[in-house]
Amino acid sequence: MAYFDAASAVPLHPVARQALLASLDEGWADPARLYREGRKARMLLDAAREAAAEAVGCRADEVVFTASGTRAVHTGVAGALAGRRRVGRHLIVSAVEHSSVLHSAEVFEADGGTVTQVPVNRAGLVDPSHYAAALRPGTALACLQSANHEVGTVQPVAEVAEECRAVGVPLLVDAAQSLGWGPVEGAWSLLAASAHKWGGPSGAGLLVVRKGARFAARGPADERESGRAPGFENLPAIVAAVASLRAVRAEAAQEAARLRELTERIRTRVPELVPDVEVVGDAERRLPGIVTFSCLYADGEALLHELDRAGFSVSSGSSCTSSTLTPSHVLKAMGVLSEGNVRVSLPAGTAEEDVERFLEVLPGAVAGVREKLGAPAAPAAVRGPGEVVVDSLGKRCPIPVIELAKVFGSVPVGGTVRVLSDDEAARLDIPAWCEMRGQEYVGEEPAQRGTAYVVRRVS
């Protein structure tokens, strides 16, 4: 089985395993105690904090260990907002942040705060000038991920941090995807990360709050971790997490070059091997191991199952993998195709032959899914003067797009197709189909049921 989902979690690094086992024997005691066993535990904790600070590029007393990366984000956002509540109640986030950031923003907004979402371009990249425009006197905090978890686009953190620093607003960086590859540059104020992204054990994260950043911990007071992460430290997990971070950093430069070549091979060859594919994410500013593409006329969940049967573990941001059947918020913000979405994220050590085998298997897997879906034997199309109305109510994407494609050839140049759909994903996938096909997306109109998406044939 080829594991190609490193953006979700990485297998435990051998160094992390060794450190975990060793610290289970040496680090079981309370590091707050003064007897011998407690002093041993304290030495391990202090050494881990120093090593983490070196890897991040900060002071040791700015590092707090948390129970997860999500907990680090929640704690960081809430604490920074509370620390600057006298300044104002305005929060800035990008539209493609991890759900942990967006959920924190939702809680803040429900409590009376205001939130500005900064848009991204079609490659998933924010424009620093948009952050600068969103800043205002009452802004308490801005958040920006270092790199996107779904499409791999690396964000201009240093430039955004400089815009924020110029007006005295702290910037919180979610560095979960990138910290294993290197430190985050720029004058950021807070940083969160998660160990299972770089080969450490799950249940270990870190939060960095730089000196000078106002921070007020939420919840009951606790003496541990500067009062910012209550509860007994999971010392074996912390030691293993930091050990693995140092180990992957030592190999990062060489492995990054190798994985970039493999992912560029996938980015180049997938559109050659599979028709009607959109490769998404920035072609240059990207993490070494992530490549994401979407396939027209294919169901994302069915495609993942086909690839799983063929021996490949991949993931998707497709609407089809969500229990709510709504498009990935990242793909939606980018305005790219969501149907048939596949994210390939290669872990360190991925064999070249596994990538080649994936490229051999993929065309057949996509073709098989498309054949199984097909188009309805008798598409419900009602012809009017210069217009075709396709009734796809009650049908989930990619079926509305398939039915659009099936009837589009019968429409004269200048004519339109009106697709009736009540699937939220159609709002993203029909405009994306138009862009891929070079046709005009007129827009959407209310209908008696669902929404009418109007497409005009221009060629």
Side-chain angles (χ1 to χ4, degrees), residues 142-453:
C143 299
L144 178 63
Q145 59 190 193
S146 56
N148 187 259
H149 50 292
E150 288 192 25
V151 300
T153 298
V154 173
Q155 301 292 358
V157 171
E159 293 91 330
V160 172
E162 185 58 31
E163 297 286 357
C164 293
R165 186 201 61 79
V167 294
V169 173
L171 178 69
L172 182 149
V173 178
D174 173 12
Q177 289 296 336
S178 73
L179 195 61
W181 297 109
V184 178
E185 302 297 330
W188 48 264
S189 299
L190 301 97
L191 179 143
S194 187
H196 71 277
K197 302 290 188 179
W198 63 68
S202 57
L206 61 86
L207 170 65
V208 177
V209 182
R210 277 180 163 163
K211 295 298 180 184
R214 296 185 64 84
F215 190 95
R218 313 309 294 154
D222 192 271
E223 293 74 26
R224 298 177 187 274
E225 294 300 302
S226 305
R228 294 170 180 169
F232 200 97
E233 296 93 344
N234 185 350
L235 188 53
I238 290 170
V239 171
V242 176
S244 61
L245 180 57
R246 297 184 68 181
V248 299
R249 280 287 192 84
E251 309 158 353
Q254 182 177 354
E255 190 62 18
R258 197 179 72 84
L259 291 184
R260 284 189 190 281
E261 192 281 325
L262 292 177
T263 52
E264 185 57 33
R265 190 181 307 183
I266 297 172
R267 285 182 64 87
T268 302
R269 290 181 58 188
V270 165
E272 298 172 351
L273 296 168
V274 181
D276 299 317
V277 163
E278 181 179 16
V279 180
V280 301
D282 197 284
E284 301 296 331
R285 296 181 60 105
R286 58 185 306 99
L287 289 174
I290 298 180
V291 56
T292 306
F293 54 89
S294 299
C295 307
L296 269 175
Y297 319 132
D299 176 277
E301 187 173 8
L303 186 51
L304 298 197
H305 286 316
E306 285 294 323
L307 291 171
D308 182 48
R309 281 191 284 269
F312 294 95
S313 301
V314 298
S315 63
S316 173
S318 168
S319 60
C320 303
T321 61
S322 168
S323 60
T324 59
L325 291 172
T326 57
S328 149
H329 73 275
V330 172
L331 301 179
K332 187 174 182 179
M334 293 168 62
V336 298
L337 186 69
S338 72
E339 64 186 57
N341 181 260
V342 175
R343 180 187 67 183
V344 175
S345 48
L346 307 178
T350 296
E352 182 179 0
E353 51 266 32
D354 284 341
V355 171
E356 286 298 324
R357 190 165 62 87
F358 174 78
L359 292 170
E360 291 174 6
V361 165
L362 181 66
V366 175
V369 170
R370 286 173 172 169
E371 183 179 1
K372 288 176 184 176
L373 285 173
V382 180
R383 298 185 182 279
E387 181 175 78
V388 174
V389 178
V390 176
D391 186 351
S392 289
L393 293 168
K395 299 172 184 176
R396 297 297 180 187
C397 279
I399 297 300
V401 181
I402 291 174
E403 294 188 340
L404 165 63
K406 289 294 183 181
V407 303
F408 200 74
S410 65
V411 177
V413 173
T416 58
V417 177
R418 186 179 300 270
V419 183
L420 303 178
S421 177
D422 50 10
D423 181 8
E424 176 67 19
R427 178 168 281 111
L428 185 63
D429 291 343
I430 290 176
W433 181 90
C434 292
E435 178 149 339
M436 292 180 72
R437 285 284 177 266
Q439 305 299 335
E440 180 186 354
Y441 177 63
V442 178
E444 61 181 73
E445 300 174 356
Q448 189 172 4
R449 284 182 56 209
T451 303
Y453 300 94

